């Protein structure tokens, strides 16, 4: 399930900052306009914890690809059952035992 969202890069033409690619090694690359989403630490390739999203929303520290998550992304894919801790302003679009897909409200 950790790698499921990256399938959307090919099938839905979306941007997934945690897609494992090396510059010049793979046919998928990041556009220059997306450079602010550079992964700074190898641990940032892991799924972003909901607590880190909450911290970023409150103005706390977060990796560069997470800081503006409410405006930079349209959807949030949350692994497991974390419904009690998800940030406000999200609309559940699809839910299963293993994940929930939320639409991110843009009013904030």
């Amino acid at each position: 399930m950790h790698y499921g969202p990256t399938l959307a890069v090919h099938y839905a033409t979306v941007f997934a900052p945690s897609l494992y690619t090396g510059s010049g090694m793979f046919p998928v690359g990041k556009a220059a306009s997306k450079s602010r989403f550079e992964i700074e630490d190898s641990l940032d390739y892991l799924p972003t914890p909901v607590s880190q999203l909450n911290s970023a929303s409150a103005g706390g520290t977060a990796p560069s690809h997470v800081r503006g998550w409410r405006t930079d992304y349209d959807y949030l894919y949350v692994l497991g059952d974390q419904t009690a801790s998800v940030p406000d302003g999200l609309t559940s679009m699809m839910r299963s035992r293993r994940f929930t897909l939320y639409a991110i409200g843009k009013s904030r």
Side-chain angles (χ1 to χ4, degrees):
M1 291 303 296
H2 290 279
Y3 305 108
T6 60
L7 292 173
V9 170
H10 174 74
Y11 292 105
T13 317
V14 301
F15 176 72
S18 59
L19 178 65
Y20 289 86
T21 63
S23 180
M25 295 175 60
F26 299 101
V28 176
K30 180 172 52 264
S33 64
K34 304 294 184 192
S35 63
R36 73 178 187 278
F37 299 107
E38 190 67 36
I39 300 293
E40 300 161 348
D41 184 307
S42 62
L43 291 177
D44 291 338
Y45 281 107
L46 297 172
T48 302
V50 171
S51 61
Q52 199 170 62
L53 297 175
N54 286 322
S55 175
S57 293
T61 59
S64 61
H65 71 281
V66 175
R67 289 182 198 127
W69 70 272
R70 287 192 179 273
T71 55
D72 291 336
Y73 302 101
D74 296 318
Y75 297 94
L76 178 64
Y77 180 89
V78 178
L79 297 174
D81 183 12
Q82 301 183 57
T83 55
S85 60
V86 296
D88 294 333
L90 301 177
T91 303
S92 177
M93 303 296 290
M94 178 191 236
R95 182 180 166 103
S96 79
R97 186 172 51 86
R98 295 182 177 189
F99 73 92
T100 305
L101 177 67
Y102 294 95
I104 299 172
K106 299 297 182 182
S107 62
R108 293 184 159 216

